[in-house]
Amino acid sequence: MSEKPPDFTKPYSTVDLVIFTVRDDALSVLLVQRANAPDEPYPLRWALPGGYIDVDRDFDLLDCAKRKLKEKTSLVSPYLEQLGSFGDRERDPRGWSITQVYFALVPSSEIRLQAGANAIDARWFEIGSGETKVRERLAFDHERILTAAIERLRSKVEYTSLPAYLLPEEFTLSELQHIFEIVLARRLDKSGFRTRVLDAGLITKVPRVRRATNRPAQLYRLKDRSAPLVFPRTLGAKN
Amino acid sequence: MSEKPPDFTKPYSTVDLVIFTVRDDALSVLLVQRANAPDEPYPLRWALPGGYIDVDRDFDLLDCAKRKLKEKTSLVSPYLEQLGSFGDRERDPRGWSITQVYFALVPSSEIRLQAGANAIDARWFEIGSGETKVRERLAFDHERILTAAIERLRSKVEYTSLPAYLLPEEFTLSELQHIFEIVLARRLDKSGFRTRVLDAGLITKVPRVRRATNRPAQLYRLKDRSAPLVFPRTLGAKN
DNA sequence: CCAATAGTGTCTGTTAGACAATATACA
DNA sequence: TGTATATTGTCTAACAGACACTATTGG
């Protein structure tokens, strides 16, 4: 039962990102296409954005995730949370590897996609409701990771106000409800939704309204955009 | 924006365990004392059990965690869940390192402690309610990890039946309630507790009773001991 | 029959969920 | 005035929480 010394074989360590947004009324995830190089595994396959930890530039894991997020989306401070890590002997043909997975929620406006170093293209893919979440076979074990991320997102939406991070800074209650409905894939009752969200005290009015061809709607914003998460009560109504 | 090649400097990768039990009516955590060797960081400090991933023996992260758990407690299949990973440049003086942390719930009976390779002693430490969770300064960033683990445990207890894994396979409802109260550090209403737990359908009667100097108590067991987790409704009563 | 704990029943304030009514803008 | 959406109100069934009562054993 001897410990391996620290300079024994180390696993590869990467950080990958599951970046969600809602566009065209559909939950979508950002994928990048891998380069077509002979020494790169899974050439031309679509994959979650990410890459190796740079021990010289990154101070910690979150730093590394933020850096990669910025490289892909040029966003600086969206919602970012650790999903978990996935590591085994077979997921990468180059050897024992571990990926630290973070998931991010970003507003679909405010985004300019950029292809990264190892990626020749970057695109949004809609999340389907079936067993296979995306109409592509992904590289590595990324399908499993994506599935886990979706599950986490859906379950957290039941008791937090996470979807607010999918909207621009200011939004109306109707817009917020709409985005909840998209993520949860079911209708919600208007009255119940409003009281739950407002009673929870997570959002505050801003002294402005959104005008259209009807009654103007009060604008709100998150009370504390940096706060990791929060919890109204249970949610539930099916309308 | 060039990617580092895979054989560039890798962080060290370890797996650490936060092993909880309840003994003498107190939530406790298993710590090991680090060896007093000149080249080892934090000599004689208490730390979470764990160690380097062995890329030859461990197939995946969970495997590695199970192996280490077995080495320390000789338990094979208790509740084991990934807590998260902690990685940065400073947490280990030997260099950039990442630890994959798992947390386990074990019944306090059924345990024979064993000191591991790098550990000269292993002991249970009671979790206090104050800011500092344990009356010891721990090695590395293990205090932060322990705090996160306790937080996770307490929050999950509010909506799952996790504490059942702290009991032997068969238990009475009173025993289950008692252990909930210890973990949550508050009293619960008997009637409400029973209906919640039973309605959730997580446990089943076994055709036996526990006898004492009073009315015998029905024995129960978890319906599916391998099921990752489960959720009654919200919990809450303060009695 | 007493002590001790197991197990069940009752009452009440709160709330989720469904639904309806009213409000306010532009055209 | 009409249309469209915002916002608020009402009613009801379900439920959590508090508390009390009954049940069953050993001594």
Side-chain angles (χ1 to χ4, degrees):
Chain A
M1 197 164 55
S2 69
E3 288 283 326
K4 299 285 175 176
D7 45 24
F8 204 76
T9 307
K10 303 174 192 168
Y12 297 109
S13 286
T14 61
V15 168
D16 288 318
L17 294 174
V18 184
I19 306 174
F20 289 114
T21 197
V22 168
R23 53 201 301 274
D24 301 333
D25 288 351
L27 182 63
S28 303
V29 63
L30 183 67
L31 298 178
V32 298
Q33 192 171 26
R34 293 183 58 77
N36 192 12
D39 53 338
E40 287 284 332
Y42 297 101
L44 294 180
R45 277 282 184 85
W46 291 88
L48 296 171
Y52 292 99
I53 293 168
D54 185 332
V55 298
D56 296 320
R57 295 166 64 192
D58 302 318
F59 174 74
D60 61 16
L61 291 175
L62 188 58
D63 253 19
C64 178
K66 280 181 185 164
R67 176 172 64 85
K68 288 174 190 304
L69 183 67
K70 192 179 167 195
E71 285 171 5
K72 305 296 179 198
T73 66
S74 56
L75 279 175
V76 180
S77 62
Y79 182 80
L80 195 57
E81 164 186 324
Q82 187 175 300
L83 174 65
S85 42
F86 299 76
D88 66 47
R89 186 181 288 151
E90 294 178 348
R91 57 182 299 280
D92 189 318
R94 289 165 291 192
W96 231 104
S97 74
I98 309 176
T99 177
Q100 320 292 330
V101 182
Y102 282 76
F103 91 81
L105 304 180
V106 305
S108 67
S109 51
E110 311 181 10
I111 293 204
R112 296 181 306 278
L113 291 185
Q114 337 216 208
N118 270 23
I120 57 181
D121 196 5
R123 280 221 297 266
W124 292 106
F125 285 74
E126 288 193 8
I127 305 285
S129 48
E131 184 56 36
T132 123
K133 303 301 179 186
V134 150
R135 308 168 73 84
E136 276 290 332
R137 287 180 56 214
L138 303 188
F140 305 105
D141 53 355
H142 287 186
E143 302 198 14
R144 185 162 65 108
I145 294 174
L146 177 59
T147 299
I150 294 168
E151 197 177 326
R152 169 87 136 253
L153 174 62
R154 290 239 162 88
S155 82
K156 272 201 143 173
V157 168
E158 298 285 347
Y159 61 99
T160 72
S161 66
L162 276 196
Y165 291 94
L166 294 165
L167 289 172
E169 199 159 326
E170 297 187 357
F171 49 82
T172 70
L173 282 180
S174 297
E175 289 164 354
L176 186 61
Q177 178 177 349
H178 185 225
I179 215 151
F180 263 83
E181 292 176 337
I182 289 170
V183 176
L184 288 173
R186 72 167 193 267
R187 309 294 310 273
L188 296 174
D189 179 77
K190 188 167 44 166
S191 172
F193 181 81
R194 278 159 184 264
T195 47
R196 255 197 324 273
V197 169
L198 291 176
D199 288 359
L202 313 171
I203 63 178
T204 33
K205 288 185 187 179
V206 304
R208 302 206 290 136
V209 293
R210 171 147 304 157
R211 298 189 164 279
T213 171
N214 48 16
R215 176 174 176 175
Q218 179 65 51
L219 283 168
Y220 293 84
R221 63 170 175 77
L222 280 174
K223 216 174 238 167
D224 186 356
R225 208 168 168 82
S226 72
L229 54 142
V230 272
F231 16 71
R233 57 183 73 93
T234 44
L235 237 297
K238 266 171 296 293
N239 191 9
Chain B
M1 198 164 58
S2 69
E3 286 282 326
K4 299 286 176 175
D7 46 23
F8 204 76
T9 307
K10 303 173 192 168
Y12 298 109
S13 286
T14 62
V15 168
D16 288 318
L17 294 173
V18 184
I19 306 173
F20 289 115
T21 198
V22 168
R23 53 200 302 275
D24 301 333
D25 288 350
L27 182 64
S28 304
V29 63
L30 183 67
L31 298 178
V32 297
Q33 192 170 27
R34 292 183 59 78
N36 192 12
D39 53 337
E40 286 283 333
Y42 297 100
L44 293 181
R45 277 282 185 86
W46 292 87
L48 296 171
Y52 292 98
I53 293 169
D54 186 332
V55 297
D56 296 321
R57 292 167 65 192
D58 302 317
F59 174 73
D60 61 17
L61 291 174
L62 188 59
D63 252 21
C64 179
K66 280 182 185 163
R67 176 171 65 83
K68 289 176 189 301
L69 184 67
K70 192 180 168 194
E71 286 171 7
K72 305 295 177 196
T73 66
S74 55
L75 280 175
V76 181
S77 62
Y79 181 80
L80 195 57
E81 164 186 323
Q82 187 175 303
L83 174 65
S85 42
F86 299 77
D88 66 48
R89 187 182 287 151
E90 294 178 347
R91 56 182 301 278
D92 189 317
R94 289 165 292 192
W96 230 105
S97 74
I98 308 176
T99 177
Q100 320 292 329
V101 182
Y102 282 76
F103 92 80
L105 304 180
V106 305
S108 67
S109 52
E110 312 182 9
I111 293 204
R112 297 182 306 280
L113 291 186
Q114 337 216 206
N118 269 24
I120 57 182
D121 196 6
R123 282 222 296 267
W124 293 106
F125 285 75
E126 287 192 8
I127 305 285
S129 48
E131 184 54 37
T132 125
K133 303 301 180 187
V134 150
R135 307 168 73 85
E136 277 290 332
R137 287 178 57 214
L138 304 187
F140 305 104
D141 54 352
H142 287 188
E143 302 196 15
R144 184 163 66 106
I145 294 174
L146 177 58
T147 300
I150 293 168
E151 195 176 327
R152 168 86 137 254
L153 173 62
R154 291 238 163 89
S155 83
K156 271 201 144 174
V157 169
E158 297 285 348
Y159 62 97
T160 72
S161 65
L162 276 195
Y165 291 94
L166 294 165
L167 290 171
E169 198 160 326
E170 297 187 358
F171 49 83
T172 71
L173 281 181
S174 297
E175 290 164 353
L176 186 61
Q177 178 177 348
H178 186 225
I179 215 151
F180 263 83
E181 291 176 338
I182 289 170
V183 176
L184 288 172
R186 72 168 193 266
R187 309 293 310 273
L188 296 174
D189 179 77
K190 184 167 49 165
S191 174
F193 182 81
R194 280 161 183 263
T195 47
R196 254 196 324 273
V197 169
L198 291 176
D199 287 0
L202 313 170
I203 63 178
T204 30
K205 288 185 186 181
V206 305
R208 303 205 290 133
V209 292
R210 171 148 303 157
R211 299 190 164 276
T213 171
N214 49 17
R215 176 173 175 176
Q218 178 66 50
L219 282 169
Y220 293 84
R221 61 169 176 76
L222 280 174
K223 217 174 237 168
D224 186 356
R225 209 168 168 83
S226 72
L229 53 143
V230 271
F231 16 71
R233 57 183 71 93
T234 45
L235 236 296
K238 264 172 300 291
N239 193 5

